[in-house]
Amino acid sequence: MVLAGCSTTRQGFVATPDGGRLYYEQRGEGEAMVLLHGHSLDHRMWGEQWKPLSKHFRLICMDFRGYGLSSEQREDLQRTHVDDVVTLMDSLRIGKAHVVGLSMGAFVAGDMLAMYPERMLSCTLASGGIRNTKGPSEPMDSAESANRDLEIAALKKKGVERMKEEWTEQLMASGGSQRERMRKVLTQMIHDWTAWQPLHKEVRLFYGKEAWARLQARGKVAVPTLFLRGENELKGKAFVPREARYLSRPRIVVVPDCGHMLNMERPEEFNRSILEFISGK
């Protein structure tokens, strides 16, 4: 791990094979680190990581398709988020990277750990992991489609703005004594979010059960993996991530007085945990 010499933020778009565009920003030099954001959010959630981590890495944050400045999702296109991450890495000529995901971003990082471990220098799963849901090989059937119609109708009746307000307060409520520091940025991102996802029938964006099957078949995966959780979300329960049994080098860190949005609520602890993990301390 070396101190980087570039303090300029570079921005751009990467084209996807299906005609979409993925927005990204990068800063710093050295080994690549890719930051993967949570649902309803975008690259701005990593504001407190941008300067500290780019002193040590070539830091890249992207907007998933359907969020931020990237292209919208499509109901007729089966494309997973992790495959978009690999497309971004290929376009930026990144062979391997430290991959850090939080919440939905951790679902994607978990998929990558199972499906593309050869592209990872390390993996950090914060407030999430591999989903136990159907993957791309099991498309939506008629019953699921009908259920989604009901959910979408109910959301339209409630109103998108009310849904956003409730979601914001739900994320805030999990926090500890420092949670108010994140309210302004969190509220702005959710306000700007198009809410395409809850209003449409999404394709399978995560490998989920297919990733679990692949991880189990691999035996012990050698990618160093950090599991990060906020103490408040555990509610006094022991944290034993299921993924750890298939990894040769897992590490678990629980951040006290903290909720779901670890990187925004406790950025100093979050950043330090990642740096110590990667440096082997």
PDB file of all heavy atoms in Angstrom, residues 35 43-55 59 61 178 180-183 185 189 261-272 274-275:
ATOM      1  N   LEU A  35     -15.595   1.083  -4.954  1.00  0.00           N
ATOM      2  CA  LEU A  35     -16.610   1.272  -3.925  1.00  0.00           C
ATOM      3  C   LEU A  35     -17.998   1.094  -4.539  1.00  0.00           C
ATOM      4  O   LEU A  35     -18.318   1.724  -5.553  1.00  0.00           O
ATOM      5  CB  LEU A  35     -16.492   2.663  -3.307  1.00  0.00           C
ATOM      6  CG  LEU A  35     -15.112   3.057  -2.748  1.00  0.00           C
ATOM      7  CD1 LEU A  35     -15.163   4.478  -2.192  1.00  0.00           C
ATOM      8  CD2 LEU A  35     -14.670   2.081  -1.674  1.00  0.00           C
ATOM      9  N   HIS A  43     -22.952   7.359  -5.923  1.00  0.00           N
ATOM     10  CA  HIS A  43     -21.532   7.522  -5.584  1.00  0.00           C
ATOM     11  C   HIS A  43     -21.293   8.551  -4.486  1.00  0.00           C
ATOM     12  O   HIS A  43     -20.264   8.511  -3.811  1.00  0.00           O
ATOM     13  CB  HIS A  43     -20.744   7.913  -6.835  1.00  0.00           C
ATOM     14  CG  HIS A  43     -21.081   9.279  -7.365  1.00  0.00           C
ATOM     15  ND1 HIS A  43     -22.163   9.530  -8.185  1.00  0.00           N
ATOM     16  CD2 HIS A  43     -20.487  10.480  -7.164  1.00  0.00           C
ATOM     17  CE1 HIS A  43     -22.210  10.814  -8.479  1.00  0.00           C
ATOM     18  NE2 HIS A  43     -21.211  11.417  -7.877  1.00  0.00           N
ATOM     19  N   ARG A  44     -22.231   9.452  -4.263  1.00  0.00           N
ATOM     20  CA  ARG A  44     -22.038  10.507  -3.259  1.00  0.00           C
ATOM     21  C   ARG A  44     -21.987   9.971  -1.834  1.00  0.00           C
ATOM     22  O   ARG A  44     -21.520  10.662  -0.926  1.00  0.00           O
ATOM     23  CB  ARG A  44     -23.141  11.557  -3.387  1.00  0.00           C
ATOM     24  CG  ARG A  44     -23.037  12.414  -4.640  1.00  0.00           C
ATOM     25  CD  ARG A  44     -24.238  13.340  -4.778  1.00  0.00           C
ATOM     26  NE  ARG A  44     -25.460  12.598  -5.075  1.00  0.00           N
ATOM     27  CZ  ARG A  44     -26.668  13.173  -5.198  1.00  0.00           C
ATOM     28  NH1 ARG A  44     -26.805  14.481  -5.016  1.00  0.00           N
ATOM     29  NH2 ARG A  44     -27.727  12.424  -5.489  1.00  0.00           N
ATOM     30  N   MET A  45     -22.473   8.744  -1.612  1.00  0.00           N
ATOM     31  CA  MET A  45     -22.452   8.203  -0.249  1.00  0.00           C
ATOM     32  C   MET A  45     -21.027   7.979   0.256  1.00  0.00           C
ATOM     33  O   MET A  45     -20.813   7.802   1.450  1.00  0.00           O
ATOM     34  CB  MET A  45     -23.255   6.904  -0.162  1.00  0.00           C
ATOM     35  CG  MET A  45     -22.639   5.710  -0.839  1.00  0.00           C
ATOM     36  SD  MET A  45     -23.480   4.139  -0.428  1.00  0.00           S
ATOM     37  CE  MET A  45     -22.597   3.666   1.059  1.00  0.00           C
ATOM     38  N   TRP A  46     -20.051   7.986  -0.671  1.00  0.00           N
ATOM     39  CA  TRP A  46     -18.667   7.715  -0.299  1.00  0.00           C
ATOM     40  C   TRP A  46     -17.861   8.997  -0.063  1.00  0.00           C
ATOM     41  O   TRP A  46     -16.629   8.961  -0.064  1.00  0.00           O
ATOM     42  CB  TRP A  46     -17.992   6.879  -1.387  1.00  0.00           C
ATOM     43  CG  TRP A  46     -18.654   5.563  -1.628  1.00  0.00           C
ATOM     44  CD1 TRP A  46     -19.374   5.191  -2.733  1.00  0.00           C
ATOM     45  CD2 TRP A  46     -18.670   4.433  -0.755  1.00  0.00           C
ATOM     46  NE1 TRP A  46     -19.832   3.901  -2.597  1.00  0.00           N
ATOM     47  CE2 TRP A  46     -19.410   3.412  -1.398  1.00  0.00           C
ATOM     48  CE3 TRP A  46     -18.113   4.180   0.515  1.00  0.00           C
ATOM     49  CZ2 TRP A  46     -19.620   2.162  -0.816  1.00  0.00           C
ATOM     50  CZ3 TRP A  46     -18.331   2.940   1.085  1.00  0.00           C
ATOM     51  CH2 TRP A  46     -19.066   1.948   0.428  1.00  0.00           C
ATOM     52  N   GLY A  47     -18.520  10.106   0.172  1.00  0.00           N
ATOM     53  CA  GLY A  47     -17.823  11.384   0.353  1.00  0.00           C
ATOM     54  C   GLY A  47     -16.772  11.370   1.447  1.00  0.00           C
ATOM     55  O   GLY A  47     -15.708  11.996   1.326  1.00  0.00           O
ATOM     56  N   GLU A  48     -17.044  10.653   2.557  1.00  0.00           N
ATOM     57  CA  GLU A  48     -16.108  10.617   3.681  1.00  0.00           C
ATOM     58  C   GLU A  48     -14.975   9.613   3.462  1.00  0.00           C
ATOM     59  O   GLU A  48     -14.038   9.543   4.253  1.00  0.00           O
ATOM     60  CB  GLU A  48     -16.859  10.249   4.973  1.00  0.00           C
ATOM     61  CG  GLU A  48     -17.953  11.225   5.346  1.00  0.00           C
ATOM     62  CD  GLU A  48     -17.462  12.325   6.272  1.00  0.00           C
ATOM     63  OE1 GLU A  48     -16.235  12.512   6.357  1.00  0.00           O
ATOM     64  OE2 GLU A  48     -18.309  12.972   6.909  1.00  0.00           O
ATOM     65  N   GLN A  49     -15.048   8.836   2.383  1.00  0.00           N
ATOM     66  CA  GLN A  49     -13.972   7.899   2.053  1.00  0.00           C
ATOM     67  C   GLN A  49     -13.068   8.441   0.945  1.00  0.00           C
ATOM     68  O   GLN A  49     -11.933   7.981   0.786  1.00  0.00           O
ATOM     69  CB  GLN A  49     -14.567   6.567   1.576  1.00  0.00           C
ATOM     70  CG  GLN A  49     -15.087   5.663   2.673  1.00  0.00           C
ATOM     71  CD  GLN A  49     -16.305   6.224   3.379  1.00  0.00           C
ATOM     72  OE1 GLN A  49     -17.306   6.534   2.749  1.00  0.00           O
ATOM     73  NE2 GLN A  49     -16.240   6.366   4.695  1.00  0.00           N
ATOM     74  N   TRP A  50     -13.557   9.411   0.214  1.00  0.00           N
ATOM     75  CA  TRP A  50     -12.908   9.832  -1.017  1.00  0.00           C
ATOM     76  C   TRP A  50     -11.456  10.254  -0.804  1.00  0.00           C
ATOM     77  O   TRP A  50     -10.531   9.666  -1.376  1.00  0.00           O
ATOM     78  CB  TRP A  50     -13.742  10.937  -1.651  1.00  0.00           C
ATOM     79  CG  TRP A  50     -13.522  11.120  -3.128  1.00  0.00           C
ATOM     80  CD1 TRP A  50     -13.298  12.296  -3.774  1.00  0.00           C
ATOM     81  CD2 TRP A  50     -13.550  10.118  -4.141  1.00  0.00           C
ATOM     82  NE1 TRP A  50     -13.172  12.085  -5.114  1.00  0.00           N
ATOM     83  CE2 TRP A  50     -13.322  10.748  -5.364  1.00  0.00           C
ATOM     84  CE3 TRP A  50     -13.723   8.732  -4.124  1.00  0.00           C
ATOM     85  CZ2 TRP A  50     -13.260  10.063  -6.586  1.00  0.00           C
ATOM     86  CZ3 TRP A  50     -13.664   8.042  -5.327  1.00  0.00           C
ATOM     87  CH2 TRP A  50     -13.434   8.699  -6.527  1.00  0.00           C
ATOM     88  N   LYS A  51     -11.230  11.257   0.007  1.00  0.00           N
ATOM     89  CA  LYS A  51      -9.861  11.733   0.208  1.00  0.00           C
ATOM     90  C   LYS A  51      -9.017  10.787   1.052  1.00  0.00           C
ATOM     91  O   LYS A  51      -7.868  10.489   0.694  1.00  0.00           O
ATOM     92  CB  LYS A  51      -9.877  13.143   0.799  1.00  0.00           C
ATOM     93  CG  LYS A  51     -10.354  14.206  -0.180  1.00  0.00           C
ATOM     94  CD  LYS A  51     -10.272  15.595   0.430  1.00  0.00           C
ATOM     95  CE  LYS A  51     -10.726  16.650  -0.579  1.00  0.00           C
ATOM     96  NZ  LYS A  51     -10.660  18.029  -0.009  1.00  0.00           N
ATOM     97  N   PRO A  52      -9.532  10.271   2.187  1.00  0.00           N
ATOM     98  CA  PRO A  52      -8.688   9.397   3.008  1.00  0.00           C
ATOM     99  C   PRO A  52      -8.206   8.142   2.284  1.00  0.00           C
ATOM    100  O   PRO A  52      -7.035   7.774   2.377  1.00  0.00           O
ATOM    101  CB  PRO A  52      -9.604   9.039   4.189  1.00  0.00           C
ATOM    102  CG  PRO A  52     -10.567  10.163   4.282  1.00  0.00           C
ATOM    103  CD  PRO A  52     -10.821  10.573   2.861  1.00  0.00           C
ATOM    104  N   LEU A  53      -9.098   7.471   1.551  1.00  0.00           N
ATOM    105  CA  LEU A  53      -8.700   6.222   0.908  1.00  0.00           C
ATOM    106  C   LEU A  53      -7.927   6.446  -0.385  1.00  0.00           C
ATOM    107  O   LEU A  53      -7.091   5.615  -0.774  1.00  0.00           O
ATOM    108  CB  LEU A  53      -9.926   5.344   0.650  1.00  0.00           C
ATOM    109  CG  LEU A  53     -10.654   4.836   1.901  1.00  0.00           C
ATOM    110  CD1 LEU A  53     -11.791   3.897   1.523  1.00  0.00           C
ATOM    111  CD2 LEU A  53      -9.702   4.147   2.866  1.00  0.00           C
ATOM    112  N   SER A  54      -8.174   7.567  -1.066  1.00  0.00           N
ATOM    113  CA  SER A  54      -7.444   7.826  -2.309  1.00  0.00           C
ATOM    114  C   SER A  54      -5.992   8.222  -2.050  1.00  0.00           C
ATOM    115  O   SER A  54      -5.207   8.326  -2.987  1.00  0.00           O
ATOM    116  CB  SER A  54      -8.143   8.913  -3.131  1.00  0.00           C
ATOM    117  OG  SER A  54      -8.106  10.171  -2.477  1.00  0.00           O
ATOM    118  N   LYS A  55      -5.618   8.418  -0.798  1.00  0.00           N
ATOM    119  CA  LYS A  55      -4.204   8.626  -0.465  1.00  0.00           C
ATOM    120  C   LYS A  55      -3.415   7.324  -0.597  1.00  0.00           C
ATOM    121  O   LYS A  55      -2.191   7.344  -0.683  1.00  0.00           O
ATOM    122  CB  LYS A  55      -4.070   9.162   0.961  1.00  0.00           C
ATOM    123  CG  LYS A  55      -4.605  10.568   1.166  1.00  0.00           C
ATOM    124  CD  LYS A  55      -4.475  10.980   2.623  1.00  0.00           C
ATOM    125  CE  LYS A  55      -5.024  12.371   2.863  1.00  0.00           C
ATOM    126  NZ  LYS A  55      -4.945  12.763   4.300  1.00  0.00           N
ATOM    127  N   LEU A  59      -8.742   4.958  -6.323  1.00  0.00           N
ATOM    128  CA  LEU A  59     -10.092   4.790  -5.799  1.00  0.00           C
ATOM    129  C   LEU A  59     -11.125   5.071  -6.888  1.00  0.00           C
ATOM    130  O   LEU A  59     -11.084   6.125  -7.532  1.00  0.00           O
ATOM    131  CB  LEU A  59     -10.301   5.731  -4.612  1.00  0.00           C
ATOM    132  CG  LEU A  59     -11.487   5.457  -3.699  1.00  0.00           C
ATOM    133  CD1 LEU A  59     -11.351   4.092  -3.022  1.00  0.00           C
ATOM    134  CD2 LEU A  59     -11.623   6.550  -2.646  1.00  0.00           C
ATOM    135  N   CYS A  61     -15.352   4.991  -7.637  1.00  0.00           N
ATOM    136  CA  CYS A  61     -16.731   4.754  -7.213  1.00  0.00           C
ATOM    137  C   CYS A  61     -17.621   4.902  -8.435  1.00  0.00           C
ATOM    138  O   CYS A  61     -17.372   5.740  -9.296  1.00  0.00           O
ATOM    139  CB  CYS A  61     -17.158   5.683  -6.078  1.00  0.00           C
ATOM    140  SG  CYS A  61     -17.095   7.422  -6.433  1.00  0.00           S
ATOM    141  N   GLN A 178     -24.138   9.184  16.529  1.00  0.00           N
ATOM    142  CA  GLN A 178     -23.573  10.059  15.492  1.00  0.00           C
ATOM    143  C   GLN A 178     -24.404  10.074  14.208  1.00  0.00           C
ATOM    144  O   GLN A 178     -23.958  10.595  13.185  1.00  0.00           O
ATOM    145  CB  GLN A 178     -22.146   9.606  15.162  1.00  0.00           C
ATOM    146  CG  GLN A 178     -21.184   9.656  16.333  1.00  0.00           C
ATOM    147  CD  GLN A 178     -21.019  11.058  16.881  1.00  0.00           C
ATOM    148  OE1 GLN A 178     -20.795  12.005  16.121  1.00  0.00           O
ATOM    149  NE2 GLN A 178     -21.132  11.208  18.193  1.00  0.00           N
ATOM    150  N   GLU A 180     -26.932  11.763  13.081  1.00  0.00           N
ATOM    151  CA  GLU A 180     -27.375  13.012  12.455  1.00  0.00           C
ATOM    152  C   GLU A 180     -26.351  13.590  11.487  1.00  0.00           C
ATOM    153  O   GLU A 180     -26.708  14.377  10.613  1.00  0.00           O
ATOM    154  CB  GLU A 180     -27.736  14.043  13.520  1.00  0.00           C
ATOM    155  CG  GLU A 180     -29.048  13.760  14.231  1.00  0.00           C
ATOM    156  CD  GLU A 180     -30.244  13.688  13.295  1.00  0.00           C
ATOM    157  OE1 GLU A 180     -30.312  14.488  12.332  1.00  0.00           O
ATOM    158  OE2 GLU A 180     -31.116  12.823  13.517  1.00  0.00           O
ATOM    159  N   ARG A 181     -25.108  13.188  11.605  1.00  0.00           N
ATOM    160  CA  ARG A 181     -24.081  13.703  10.692  1.00  0.00           C
ATOM    161  C   ARG A 181     -24.358  13.286   9.250  1.00  0.00           C
ATOM    162  O   ARG A 181     -23.840  13.897   8.309  1.00  0.00           O
ATOM    163  CB  ARG A 181     -22.696  13.234  11.123  1.00  0.00           C
ATOM    164  CG  ARG A 181     -22.428  11.752  10.928  1.00  0.00           C
ATOM    165  CD  ARG A 181     -21.088  11.326  11.488  1.00  0.00           C
ATOM    166  NE  ARG A 181     -19.968  11.972  10.826  1.00  0.00           N
ATOM    167  CZ  ARG A 181     -18.703  11.877  11.222  1.00  0.00           C
ATOM    168  NH1 ARG A 181     -18.403  11.190  12.317  1.00  0.00           N
ATOM    169  NH2 ARG A 181     -17.739  12.465  10.567  1.00  0.00           N
ATOM    170  N   MET A 182     -25.159  12.228   9.050  1.00  0.00           N
ATOM    171  CA  MET A 182     -25.385  11.741   7.690  1.00  0.00           C
ATOM    172  C   MET A 182     -26.736  12.159   7.113  1.00  0.00           C
ATOM    173  O   MET A 182     -27.021  11.909   5.943  1.00  0.00           O
ATOM    174  CB  MET A 182     -25.271  10.213   7.652  1.00  0.00           C
ATOM    175  CG  MET A 182     -26.338   9.468   8.440  1.00  0.00           C
ATOM    176  SD  MET A 182     -26.054   7.675   8.373  1.00  0.00           S
ATOM    177  CE  MET A 182     -27.460   7.078   9.322  1.00  0.00           C
ATOM    178  N   ARG A 183     -27.566  12.801   7.912  1.00  0.00           N
ATOM    179  CA  ARG A 183     -28.942  13.068   7.474  1.00  0.00           C
ATOM    180  C   ARG A 183     -29.009  13.890   6.187  1.00  0.00           C
ATOM    181  O   ARG A 183     -29.756  13.548   5.254  1.00  0.00           O
ATOM    182  CB  ARG A 183     -29.732  13.767   8.578  1.00  0.00           C
ATOM    183  CG  ARG A 183     -31.181  14.049   8.172  1.00  0.00           C
ATOM    184  CD  ARG A 183     -31.957  14.765   9.267  1.00  0.00           C
ATOM    185  NE  ARG A 183     -32.200  13.927  10.420  1.00  0.00           N
ATOM    186  CZ  ARG A 183     -33.202  13.039  10.502  1.00  0.00           C
ATOM    187  NH1 ARG A 183     -34.043  12.891   9.484  1.00  0.00           N
ATOM    188  NH2 ARG A 183     -33.359  12.326  11.596  1.00  0.00           N
ATOM    189  N   VAL A 185     -26.885  14.510   3.596  1.00  0.00           N
ATOM    190  CA  VAL A 185     -26.450  13.851   2.358  1.00  0.00           C
ATOM    191  C   VAL A 185     -27.363  12.677   2.025  1.00  0.00           C
ATOM    192  O   VAL A 185     -27.739  12.472   0.862  1.00  0.00           O
ATOM    193  CB  VAL A 185     -24.988  13.376   2.475  1.00  0.00           C
ATOM    194  CG1 VAL A 185     -24.566  12.602   1.234  1.00  0.00           C
ATOM    195  CG2 VAL A 185     -24.063  14.574   2.680  1.00  0.00           C
ATOM    196  N   MET A 189     -29.648  12.347  -1.467  1.00  0.00           N
ATOM    197  CA  MET A 189     -29.522  11.249  -2.432  1.00  0.00           C
ATOM    198  C   MET A 189     -30.857  10.549  -2.660  1.00  0.00           C
ATOM    199  O   MET A 189     -31.221  10.255  -3.812  1.00  0.00           O
ATOM    200  CB  MET A 189     -28.470  10.244  -1.942  1.00  0.00           C
ATOM    201  CG  MET A 189     -27.042  10.687  -2.145  1.00  0.00           C
ATOM    202  SD  MET A 189     -25.852   9.361  -1.784  1.00  0.00           S
ATOM    203  CE  MET A 189     -25.973   9.291   0.016  1.00  0.00           C
ATOM    204  N   MET A 261     -25.694   2.319   7.979  1.00  0.00           N
ATOM    205  CA  MET A 261     -24.874   3.148   7.085  1.00  0.00           C
ATOM    206  C   MET A 261     -23.516   3.441   7.727  1.00  0.00           C
ATOM    207  O   MET A 261     -23.166   4.579   8.027  1.00  0.00           O
ATOM    208  CB  MET A 261     -25.617   4.433   6.736  1.00  0.00           C
ATOM    209  CG  MET A 261     -26.916   4.219   5.983  1.00  0.00           C
ATOM    210  SD  MET A 261     -26.717   3.299   4.424  1.00  0.00           S
ATOM    211  CE  MET A 261     -25.565   4.353   3.546  1.00  0.00           C
ATOM    212  N   LEU A 262     -22.741   2.403   7.910  1.00  0.00           N
ATOM    213  CA  LEU A 262     -21.459   2.496   8.624  1.00  0.00           C
ATOM    214  C   LEU A 262     -20.543   3.584   8.093  1.00  0.00           C
ATOM    215  O   LEU A 262     -19.951   4.357   8.853  1.00  0.00           O
ATOM    216  CB  LEU A 262     -20.730   1.149   8.500  1.00  0.00           C
ATOM    217  CG  LEU A 262     -21.330  -0.047   9.222  1.00  0.00           C
ATOM    218  CD1 LEU A 262     -21.071  -1.313   8.426  1.00  0.00           C
ATOM    219  CD2 LEU A 262     -20.707  -0.177  10.590  1.00  0.00           C
ATOM    220  N   ASN A 263     -20.368   3.624   6.779  1.00  0.00           N
ATOM    221  CA  ASN A 263     -19.368   4.527   6.194  1.00  0.00           C
ATOM    222  C   ASN A 263     -19.739   5.992   6.355  1.00  0.00           C
ATOM    223  O   ASN A 263     -18.861   6.867   6.401  1.00  0.00           O
ATOM    224  CB  ASN A 263     -19.174   4.221   4.717  1.00  0.00           C
ATOM    225  CG  ASN A 263     -20.344   4.672   3.867  1.00  0.00           C
ATOM    226  OD1 ASN A 263     -21.490   4.251   4.096  1.00  0.00           O
ATOM    227  ND2 ASN A 263     -20.082   5.520   2.899  1.00  0.00           N
ATOM    228  N   MET A 264     -21.046   6.288   6.456  1.00  0.00           N
ATOM    229  CA  MET A 264     -21.491   7.664   6.601  1.00  0.00           C
ATOM    230  C   MET A 264     -21.622   8.064   8.063  1.00  0.00           C
ATOM    231  O   MET A 264     -21.395   9.220   8.413  1.00  0.00           O
ATOM    232  CB  MET A 264     -22.838   7.859   5.889  1.00  0.00           C
ATOM    233  CG  MET A 264     -22.794   7.613   4.391  1.00  0.00           C
ATOM    234  SD  MET A 264     -24.399   7.850   3.580  1.00  0.00           S
ATOM    235  CE  MET A 264     -24.605   9.645   3.734  1.00  0.00           C
ATOM    236  N   GLU A 265     -21.987   7.125   8.903  1.00  0.00           N
ATOM    237  CA  GLU A 265     -22.215   7.417  10.309  1.00  0.00           C
ATOM    238  C   GLU A 265     -20.926   7.416  11.129  1.00  0.00           C
ATOM    239  O   GLU A 265     -20.721   8.257  12.003  1.00  0.00           O
ATOM    240  CB  GLU A 265     -23.189   6.395  10.891  1.00  0.00           C
ATOM    241  CG  GLU A 265     -23.589   6.677  12.329  1.00  0.00           C
ATOM    242  CD  GLU A 265     -24.517   5.615  12.877  1.00  0.00           C
ATOM    243  OE1 GLU A 265     -24.954   4.720  12.131  1.00  0.00           O
ATOM    244  OE2 GLU A 265     -24.816   5.686  14.087  1.00  0.00           O
ATOM    245  N   ARG A 266     -20.037   6.453  10.826  1.00  0.00           N
ATOM    246  CA  ARG A 266     -18.771   6.321  11.545  1.00  0.00           C
ATOM    247  C   ARG A 266     -17.625   6.214  10.534  1.00  0.00           C
ATOM    248  O   ARG A 266     -16.941   5.196  10.454  1.00  0.00           O
ATOM    249  CB  ARG A 266     -18.792   5.075  12.439  1.00  0.00           C
ATOM    250  CG  ARG A 266     -19.748   5.155  13.619  1.00  0.00           C
ATOM    251  CD  ARG A 266     -19.161   5.985  14.729  1.00  0.00           C
ATOM    252  NE  ARG A 266     -20.025   6.016  15.914  1.00  0.00           N
ATOM    253  CZ  ARG A 266     -19.693   6.667  17.022  1.00  0.00           C
ATOM    254  NH1 ARG A 266     -18.534   7.311  17.096  1.00  0.00           N
ATOM    255  NH2 ARG A 266     -20.511   6.672  18.062  1.00  0.00           N
ATOM    256  N   PRO A 267     -17.407   7.278   9.744  1.00  0.00           N
ATOM    257  CA  PRO A 267     -16.417   7.185   8.664  1.00  0.00           C
ATOM    258  C   PRO A 267     -14.997   6.923   9.137  1.00  0.00           C
ATOM    259  O   PRO A 267     -14.256   6.186   8.480  1.00  0.00           O
ATOM    260  CB  PRO A 267     -16.530   8.538   7.954  1.00  0.00           C
ATOM    261  CG  PRO A 267     -17.162   9.447   8.954  1.00  0.00           C
ATOM    262  CD  PRO A 267     -18.088   8.596   9.752  1.00  0.00           C
ATOM    263  N   GLU A 268     -14.595   7.508  10.256  1.00  0.00           N
ATOM    264  CA  GLU A 268     -13.226   7.288  10.726  1.00  0.00           C
ATOM    265  C   GLU A 268     -12.999   5.815  11.060  1.00  0.00           C
ATOM    266  O   GLU A 268     -11.991   5.222  10.655  1.00  0.00           O
ATOM    267  CB  GLU A 268     -12.924   8.160  11.952  1.00  0.00           C
ATOM    268  CG  GLU A 268     -12.886   9.650  11.670  1.00  0.00           C
ATOM    269  CD  GLU A 268     -14.269  10.298  11.698  1.00  0.00           C
ATOM    270  OE1 GLU A 268     -15.268   9.581  12.011  1.00  0.00           O
ATOM    271  OE2 GLU A 268     -14.360  11.507  11.401  1.00  0.00           O
ATOM    272  N   GLU A 269     -13.955   5.206  11.781  1.00  0.00           N
ATOM    273  CA  GLU A 269     -13.832   3.794  12.128  1.00  0.00           C
ATOM    274  C   GLU A 269     -13.913   2.912  10.886  1.00  0.00           C
ATOM    275  O   GLU A 269     -13.189   1.922  10.770  1.00  0.00           O
ATOM    276  CB  GLU A 269     -14.920   3.398  13.124  1.00  0.00           C
ATOM    277  CG  GLU A 269     -14.767   4.030  14.496  1.00  0.00           C
ATOM    278  CD  GLU A 269     -15.465   5.382  14.626  1.00  0.00           C
ATOM    279  OE1 GLU A 269     -15.691   6.048  13.580  1.00  0.00           O
ATOM    280  OE2 GLU A 269     -15.807   5.753  15.761  1.00  0.00           O
ATOM    281  N   PHE A 270     -14.782   3.270   9.967  1.00  0.00           N
ATOM    282  CA  PHE A 270     -14.939   2.513   8.732  1.00  0.00           C
ATOM    283  C   PHE A 270     -13.642   2.532   7.931  1.00  0.00           C
ATOM    284  O   PHE A 270     -13.139   1.474   7.513  1.00  0.00           O
ATOM    285  CB  PHE A 270     -16.082   3.113   7.909  1.00  0.00           C
ATOM    286  CG  PHE A 270     -16.409   2.377   6.643  1.00  0.00           C
ATOM    287  CD1 PHE A 270     -17.322   1.332   6.654  1.00  0.00           C
ATOM    288  CD2 PHE A 270     -15.829   2.736   5.438  1.00  0.00           C
ATOM    289  CE1 PHE A 270     -17.641   0.650   5.473  1.00  0.00           C
ATOM    290  CE2 PHE A 270     -16.129   2.063   4.260  1.00  0.00           C
ATOM    291  CZ  PHE A 270     -17.045   1.020   4.282  1.00  0.00           C
ATOM    292  N   ASN A 271     -13.098   3.707   7.710  1.00  0.00           N
ATOM    293  CA  ASN A 271     -11.870   3.839   6.930  1.00  0.00           C
ATOM    294  C   ASN A 271     -10.708   3.113   7.597  1.00  0.00           C
ATOM    295  O   ASN A 271      -9.929   2.416   6.934  1.00  0.00           O
ATOM    296  CB  ASN A 271     -11.521   5.314   6.731  1.00  0.00           C
ATOM    297  CG  ASN A 271     -12.582   6.071   5.956  1.00  0.00           C
ATOM    298  OD1 ASN A 271     -13.458   5.480   5.326  1.00  0.00           O
ATOM    299  ND2 ASN A 271     -12.529   7.395   6.011  1.00  0.00           N
ATOM    300  N   ARG A 272     -10.598   3.287   8.905  1.00  0.00           N
ATOM    301  CA  ARG A 272      -9.499   2.638   9.631  1.00  0.00           C
ATOM    302  C   ARG A 272      -9.615   1.118   9.558  1.00  0.00           C
ATOM    303  O   ARG A 272      -8.595   0.419   9.379  1.00  0.00           O
ATOM    304  CB  ARG A 272      -9.492   3.096  11.087  1.00  0.00           C
ATOM    305  CG  ARG A 272      -8.329   2.510  11.897  1.00  0.00           C
ATOM    306  CD  ARG A 272      -8.212   3.128  13.270  1.00  0.00           C
ATOM    307  NE  ARG A 272      -9.398   2.902  14.093  1.00  0.00           N
ATOM    308  CZ  ARG A 272     -10.264   3.852  14.417  1.00  0.00           C
ATOM    309  NH1 ARG A 272     -10.085   5.098  14.001  1.00  0.00           N
ATOM    310  NH2 ARG A 272     -11.313   3.568  15.175  1.00  0.00           N
ATOM    311  N   ILE A 274     -10.858  -0.701   7.183  1.00  0.00           N
ATOM    312  CA  ILE A 274     -10.458  -1.169   5.855  1.00  0.00           C
ATOM    313  C   ILE A 274      -8.947  -1.078   5.679  1.00  0.00           C
ATOM    314  O   ILE A 274      -8.305  -2.025   5.189  1.00  0.00           O
ATOM    315  CB  ILE A 274     -11.188  -0.355   4.767  1.00  0.00           C
ATOM    316  CG1 ILE A 274     -12.671  -0.738   4.764  1.00  0.00           C
ATOM    317  CG2 ILE A 274     -10.561  -0.592   3.400  1.00  0.00           C
ATOM    318  CD1 ILE A 274     -13.507   0.075   3.814  1.00  0.00           C
ATOM    319  N   LEU A 275      -8.362   0.027   6.088  1.00  0.00           N
ATOM    320  CA  LEU A 275      -6.913   0.195   5.935  1.00  0.00           C
ATOM    321  C   LEU A 275      -6.134  -0.828   6.766  1.00  0.00           C
ATOM    322  O   LEU A 275      -5.137  -1.400   6.293  1.00  0.00           O
ATOM    323  CB  LEU A 275      -6.503   1.619   6.304  1.00  0.00           C
ATOM    324  CG  LEU A 275      -6.973   2.716   5.341  1.00  0.00           C
ATOM    325  CD1 LEU A 275      -6.655   4.101   5.907  1.00  0.00           C
ATOM    326  CD2 LEU A 275      -6.339   2.561   3.971  1.00  0.00           C
TER     327      LEU A 275
END
